[in-house]
C-alpha cells in the first residue's frame, strides 16, 4: 500500500506533520527528478479532497498541483495555502511576489496597448477629417468651374476607379471562382472608361462611345491566347458600365443642363470674374443639391447608426443598420428641402422631397454594390490612395448610380427642368 501523508486539523491552527523522514528516504533512492504522493485529508469536512505534493531530491518543494477538473472550495484553498506556508514560507512568499510583479506588468502592458489603440484611432479620425475637408473644397471648386475642368477631373477619377475595380476582379477572393480578364484588357478598359466622360462632353451623348468600347473589348477578349471565358467578358462589361458609363451622367447633369436657374437668388450677387449670372445653370444647382444631399445622408447615417444602431440592415455591410439608414434618409430629404428653399430650385417642395428620396436610394445601393464587390474580393478598402479613406471607389461609390438617377429625374419628370 502506498504511504500516505496525514495532516492533523485543530480548531485554531493547522499543524502539518514533518516531511523530513520522507525526504531523507527519498534522497537515497534513484535520482529521478520528482515523485508524487497523494495527500488524503481524513477530517469529514475535507474528506474526498485530494492534491499532489511534489517532492524533490533536495527536500520538499512546497508546490501543490490540483488535478484539472477538481472543484476547490474557498476553505479548501485556505487549507492548501496553510500547508504550503508551513513547509516553506520563504519560497511561497517569493513566488507570490513574482506573481504580483507579473500581474502588474501584464496590467501595465494592457493599459499601454489600450492607450496606443486609442491614439491610433484618434490619429486616423483626424487624418480622415483633414483629407475629407480637402476633398470637399476641391470638389466644390471643380463643380463650380464646370465645363472641361469638371470633365477632366471626373475623367481622372474614373481612370483610378477603373484600375481599382479591375484589381478587385483579379484579387484572390474573386479570381478563385472565375477567370479574370487579362491585364492588357484591364488596362485598355481603364483607358476607355477615362475617355468616356470626355467623349460625352464633346459629342453630347454616350451611346456611340459605349457601343464602340464594348465592341473593341469583346474583340480583344476573343482574340486572346488560350480559351476565352464568359466570366472574363461579363466582368469586363460590368466594369465598362460601372466605371465608365454611369459616371458620364454627371457630365450630362452638370454640363448638359445649361438652362439658367432664373429664380436662384445667388446669381444676382455672383461676381463676373467667376462667370456672372450665366454660371448658375440648372445643371450646377442640381449637381450641388445632389452632392450635398448625399454627403448629408452619409453623415446622418454614420452618426445616428454609431450612436443608436441596433438592427443590421444587410449582411453585405454588417456595420449598416436600419436606424442609421432611416436617419440618412431623413437627413437627405431635409437637406434637399433646405437647398430648394435657399437656391429656389426646384420650385415645388414635393419635387424637392422626391429628388432627395431618389438621391438617397441611389447612394445607398451604390454603396452596397461596392461593398459586395469588396466582400467577394476579401478586402476592406478598394485601394489606399486617400489616407484615412481608402481608394477612389470607397469615396465615390455613393455617387456612381446617383448621377444617372438625378439626370433622368430632372430631364424627364421635372417640367421646365424645375425652374
Amino acid at each position: 500500500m502506498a504511504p500516505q501523508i496525514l495532516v492533523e486539523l485543530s480548531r485554531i491552527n493547522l499543524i502539518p506533520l514533518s516531511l523530513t523522514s520522507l525526504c531523507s528516504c527519498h534522497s537515497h533512492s534513484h535520482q529521478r527528478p520528482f515523485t508524487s504522493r497523494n495527500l488524503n485529508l481524513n477530517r469529514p469536512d475535507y474528506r474526498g479532497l485530494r492534491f499532489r505534493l511534489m517532492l524533490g531530491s533536495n527536500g520538499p518543494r512546497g508546490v501543490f498541483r490540483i488535478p484539472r477538473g477538481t472543484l476547490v472550495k474557498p476553505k479548501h484553498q485556505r487549507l492548501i495555502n496553510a500547508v504550503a506556508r508551513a513547509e516553506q514560507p520563504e519560497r511561497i512568499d517569493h513566488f507570490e511576489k513574482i506573481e504580483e510583479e507579473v500581474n502588474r506588468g501584464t496590467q501595465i502592458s494592457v493599459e499601454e496597448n489600450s492607450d496606443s489603440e486609442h491614439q491610433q484611432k484618434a490619429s486616423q479620425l483626424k487624418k480622415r477629417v483633414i483629407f475629407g475637408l480637402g476633398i470637399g473644397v476641391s470638389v466644390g471648386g471643380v463643380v463650380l468651374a464646370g465645363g472641361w475642368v469638371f470633365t477632366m477631373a471626373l475623367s481622372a477619377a474614373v481612370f483610378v476607379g477603373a484600375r481599382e475595380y479591375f484589381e478587385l476582379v483579379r484579387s484572390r477572393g474573386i479570381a478563385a471562382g472565375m477567370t479574370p480578364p487579362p491585364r492588357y484588357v484591364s488596362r485598355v478598359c481603364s483607358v476607355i472608361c477615362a475617355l468616356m466622360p470626355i467623349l460625352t462632353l464633346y459629342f453630347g451623348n454616350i451611346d456611340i462611345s459605349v457601343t464602340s468600347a464594348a465592341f473593341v473589348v469583346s474583340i480583344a477578349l476573343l482574340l486572346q491566347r488560350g480559351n476565352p471565358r464568359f466570366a472574363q467578358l461579363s466582368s469586363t462589361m460590368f466594369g465598362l458600365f460601372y466605371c465608365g458609363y454611369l459616371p458620364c451622367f454627371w457630365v450630362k447633369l452638370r454640363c448638359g443642363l445649361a438652362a439658367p436657374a432664373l429664380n436662384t437668388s445667388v446669381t444676382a450677387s455672383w461676381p463676373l470674374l467667376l462667370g456672372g449670372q450665366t454660371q448658375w445653370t440648372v445643371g450646377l444647382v442640381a449637381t450641388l443639391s445632389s452632392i450635398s444631399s448625399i454627403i448629408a445622408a452619409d453623415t446622418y447615417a454614420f452618426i445616428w447608426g454609431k450612436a443608436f444602431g441596433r438592427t443590421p440592415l444587410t449582411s453585405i455591410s454588417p456595420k449598416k443598420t436600419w436606424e442609421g439608414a432611416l436617419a440618412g434618409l431623413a437627413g437627405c430629404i431635409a437637406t434637399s428641402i433646405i437647398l430648394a428653399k435657399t437656391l429656389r430650385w426646384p420650385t415645388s417642395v414635393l419635387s424637392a422631397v422626391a429628388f432627395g428620396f431618389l438621391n438617397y436610394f441611389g447612394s445607398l445601393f451604390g454603396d452596397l454594390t461596392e461593398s459586395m464587390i469588396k466582400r467577394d474580393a476579401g478586402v476592406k478598402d478598394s485601394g489606399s490612395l486617400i489616407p484615412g479613406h481608402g481608394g477612389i471607389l470607397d469615396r465615390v461609390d455613393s455617387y456612381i448610380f446617383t448621377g444617372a438617377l438625378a439626370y433622368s429625374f430632372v430631364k424627364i419628370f421635372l417640367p421646365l427642368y424645375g425652374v
Side-chain angles (χ1 to χ4, degrees), residues 100-118:
E100 289 178 0
E101 292 179 359
V102 171
N103 292 336
R104 190 181 301 110
T106 303
Q107 184 177 1
I108 293 174
S109 177
V110 171
E111 292 177 355
E112 289 179 352
N113 292 336
S114 178
D115 293 340
S116 177
E117 291 179 359
H118 181 71

Side-chain angles (χ1 to χ4, degrees), residues 72-307:
V72 181
K73 297 182 180 180
K75 59 181 180 180
H76 299 161
Q77 184 68 36
R78 290 193 295 270
L79 170 67
I80 296 171
N81 292 338
V83 174
R85 290 182 183 279
E87 290 295 327
Q88 287 191 350
E90 300 84 0
R91 181 75 58 87
I92 298 302
D93 292 340
H94 178 66
F95 288 156
E96 288 184 352
K97 291 180 180 179
I98 294 177
E99 184 178 0
E100 289 178 0
E101 292 179 359
V102 171
N103 292 336
R104 190 181 301 110
T106 303
Q107 184 177 1
I108 293 174
S109 177
V110 171
E111 292 177 355
E112 289 179 352
N113 292 336
S114 178
D115 293 340
S116 177
E117 291 179 359
H118 181 71
Q119 292 177 359
Q120 185 177 2
K121 290 182 179 180
S123 176
Q124 186 175 4
L125 179 61
K126 181 179 179 181
K127 187 184 299 183
R128 187 182 181 92
V129 171
I130 292 174
F131 278 90
L133 291 176
I135 293 172
V137 173
S138 302
V139 170
V142 168
V143 172
L144 286 175
W148 285 103
V149 175
F150 177 81
T151 304
M152 295 303 295
L154 180 63
S155 178
V158 165
F159 177 77
V160 178
R163 295 290 296 160
E164 291 179 354
Y165 165 80
F166 284 106
E167 287 298 323
L168 290 176
V169 171
R170 298 187 65 86
S171 64
R172 184 178 301 176
I174 295 180
M178 56 163 281
T179 303
R183 286 195 177 275
Y184 74 91
V185 175
S186 300
R187 293 166 182 166
V188 170
C189 287
S190 299
V191 175
I192 292 176
C193 290
L195 291 175
M196 283 186 182
I198 299 175
L199 296 176
T200 301
L201 181 65
Y202 185 79
F203 291 108
N205 57 68
I206 54 179
D207 299 335
I208 298 176
S209 60
V210 171
T211 305
S212 302
F215 180 70
V216 170
V217 171
S218 299
I219 292 177
L221 287 174
L222 293 174
L223 296 180
Q224 67 173 312
R225 294 180 181 180
N227 296 324
R229 301 288 185 181
F230 177 73
Q232 296 176 328
L233 182 64
S234 59
S235 61
T236 305
M237 291 301 166
F238 181 77
L240 290 175
F241 171 77
Y242 185 71
C243 300
Y245 176 76
L246 290 176
C248 291
F249 281 96
W250 283 105
V251 176
K252 295 177 70 66
L253 178 66
R254 171 62 185 91
C255 306
L257 301 178
L262 301 176
N263 297 323
T264 303
S265 58
V266 182
T267 59
S269 57
W270 194 252
L272 293 175
L273 185 62
L274 298 178
Q277 295 183 5
T278 58
Q279 180 72 15
W280 286 87
T281 61
V282 172
L284 173 59
V285 176
T287 303
L288 289 176
S289 178
S290 182
I291 293 176
S292 301
S293 299
I294 295 172
I295 294 174
D298 291 342
T299 304
Y300 277 92
F302 175 78
I303 295 176
W304 194 266
K306 197 77 172 178

